[in-house]
């Protein structure tokens, strides 16, 4: 074999070895820090832009098809996230305005000691005046009332949410 072919073969092997090391580094990093969370899809449907009261002509009455935006509701009972079954049964987490991340990661709001949950498994968030849940690309999935979810789902109090071996629900 010529010297040139042997040198090209050595560099090819070196490049393949480095690609293998970088792939292992990527997998370890992904396992330690979880999956990246991309930009989430919007939940609101696009609506027509309304004229403000100052811009609207005084002679034109408001039509029933374009009602005024509802005033914020009076103070509602604060909701809480309650673990009803699993290793953390009885745990109550009050819900405020911030998102709640559920998973094995120590920086999660609700840390699950469960091998069936991902490091950043699911996210509870408030939008359009109600609480929603979305699966953050977990391996074993998030189930609501026995059905695996693949996109954000609006929640109602009392609906069972299963993440790994843990069952939880929103309560008023």
């Amino acid at each position: 074999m010529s010297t040139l072919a042997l040198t090209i073969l050595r560099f090819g092997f070196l490049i393949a070895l480095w690609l293998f090391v970088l792939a292992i580094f990527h997998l370890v990093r992904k396992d330690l820090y979880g999956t990246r969370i991309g930009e989430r899809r919007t939940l609101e449907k696009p609506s027509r832009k309304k004229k403000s009261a100052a811009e609207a002509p005084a002679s034109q009455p408001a039509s029933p098809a374009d009602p005024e935006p509802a005033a914020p509701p009076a103070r509602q009972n604060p909701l809480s996230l309650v673990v009803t079954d699993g290793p953390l049964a009885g745990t109550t987490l009050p819900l405020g305005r911030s998102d709640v991340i559920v998973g094995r990661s120590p920086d999660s709001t609700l840390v699950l000691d469960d091998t069936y949950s991902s490091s950043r498994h699911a996210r509870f968030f408030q939008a359009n005046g109600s609480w929603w849940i979305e699966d953050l690309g977990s391996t074993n999935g998030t189930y609501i009332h026995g059905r695996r979810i693949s996109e954000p789902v609006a929640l109602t109090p009392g609906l069972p949410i299963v993440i790994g071996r843990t069952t939880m629900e929103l309560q008023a």
Side-chain angles (χ1 to χ4, degrees):
M1 192 181 285
S2 72
T3 310
L4 179 63
L6 189 59
T7 303
I8 291 174
L9 196 60
R10 285 181 182 167
F11 277 117
F13 179 72
L14 187 62
I15 290 171
L17 184 64
W18 273 108
L19 289 175
F20 178 72
V21 167
L22 290 174
I24 290 191
F25 176 74
H26 174 71
L27 287 175
V28 168
R29 183 183 175 278
K30 186 176 177 182
D31 191 41
L32 287 176
Y33 297 110
T35 56
R36 291 184 185 167
I37 300 173
E39 189 174 327
R40 136 177 111 82
R41 292 178 283 179
T42 180
L43 297 173
E44 298 177 16
K45 294 180 181 176
S47 62
R48 296 177 301 193
K49 184 177 177 181
K50 291 184 179 181
K51 293 182 180 181
S52 67
E55 296 174 348
S59 62
Q60 189 178 28
S63 69
D66 288 321
E68 288 297 316
R75 178 150 171 86
Q76 296 179 349
N77 293 336
L79 292 175
S80 57
L81 181 64
V82 179
V83 179
T84 57
D85 191 25
L88 297 174
T91 302
T92 302
L93 184 69
L95 298 174
R97 293 189 180 268
S98 60
D99 295 354
V100 174
I101 303 292
V102 178
R104 285 184 316 182
S105 176
D107 66 341
S108 296
T109 312
L110 180 60
V111 179
L112 300 177
D113 186 22
D114 185 356
T115 56
Y116 294 104
S117 65
S118 298
S119 57
R120 292 176 56 88
H121 196 99
R123 178 176 77 109
F124 291 85
F125 62 96
Q126 200 170 19
N128 302 333
S130 62
W131 280 94
W132 295 71
I133 184 172
E134 73 175 327
D135 187 83
L136 299 176
S138 64
T139 304
N140 293 322
T142 302
Y143 293 85
I144 296 180
H145 210 41
R147 185 177 58 91
R148 186 173 182 159
I149 63 169
S150 59
E151 57 187 25
V153 175
L155 296 174
T156 56
L159 197 62
I161 303 155
V162 178
I163 296 176
R165 294 179 302 177
T166 304
T167 304
M168 58 192 79
E169 63 185 38
L170 289 181
Q171 291 183 353

